[in-house]
Amino acid sequence: MLDNPTKTRLCPFSNTFFEAKRQNQIYRSKFDRISANNERNNSLRRKLNSVNKELLKSYKVADDLLGDKIEVIVNKHFMRGRGFSFQMFTNVVNQDDEIVYGLYDITFKKINDDEYLIRRKK
């Protein structure tokens, strides 16, 4: 099996030697390839879980506050009380020389010390 080093490969998932059937074959089997990809993606999901949970919670609060409206002005203490986090956002936009924070398709902009304008992108 180890006589032909060009065909004999080490599978990075199962850590076993195998005879490659194709020149570009990396994994021993499709099961090993799928398992390696699942393991890598699950690890990434676990790392991002706390951040995504916080973003989703804030999005739900903003979405509830908007309801059917396109924009609404809300007190920041009320938003915090509902569970909105001002530390987590998905994007930042410079709009008319003002910084506007985005949470997926919803933006929030500070109007004064106590109020924010929440707007859904069209």
Side-chain angles (χ1 to χ4, degrees):
M1 185 162 156
L2 297 173
D3 295 339
N4 188 355
T6 58
K7 285 250 185 190
T8 303
R9 305 245 170 90
L10 178 64
C11 176
F13 180 74
S14 64
N15 213 18
T16 57
F17 286 98
F18 69 97
E19 292 294 322
K21 295 176 185 145
R22 297 181 324 275
Q23 197 173 21
N24 63 345
Q25 186 175 354
I26 297 170
Y27 296 99
R28 179 182 57 150
S29 66
K30 72 177 183 179
F31 172 78
D32 286 351
R33 176 179 46 84
I34 291 168
S35 296
N37 288 332
N38 285 343
E39 194 173 278
R40 185 174 36 249
N41 289 331
N42 286 336
S43 173
L44 181 60
R45 275 192 285 277
R46 278 190 297 276
K47 284 181 187 178
L48 297 175
N49 192 33
S50 63
V51 172
N52 288 334
K53 196 175 196 179
E54 192 86 20
L55 287 170
L56 185 59
K57 185 178 181 181
S58 291
Y59 183 83
K60 285 178 181 178
V61 169
D63 190 48
D64 286 346
L65 292 171
L66 277 169
D68 293 335
K69 301 174 189 166
I70 301 237
E71 65 182 36
V72 66
I73 296 174
V74 183
N75 187 292
K76 73 177 179 182
H77 301 294
F78 181 74
M79 291 171 70
R80 267 201 196 112
R82 296 276 308 264
F84 190 88
S85 172
F86 290 95
Q87 272 54 38
M88 300 280 189
F89 47 88
T90 57
N91 56 342
V92 179
V93 179
N94 190 347
Q95 196 175 59
D96 301 326
D97 293 332
E98 289 183 310
I99 295 176
V100 178
Y101 298 95
L103 195 56
Y104 303 108
D105 65 330
I106 296 175
T107 60
F108 54 101
K109 176 174 77 171
K110 189 173 186 174
I111 296 175
N112 57 44
D113 288 341
D114 289 332
E115 294 180 320
Y116 279 83
L117 172 67
I118 301 174
R119 177 179 290 160
R120 189 180 310 277
K121 294 179 187 175
K122 298 175 187 174

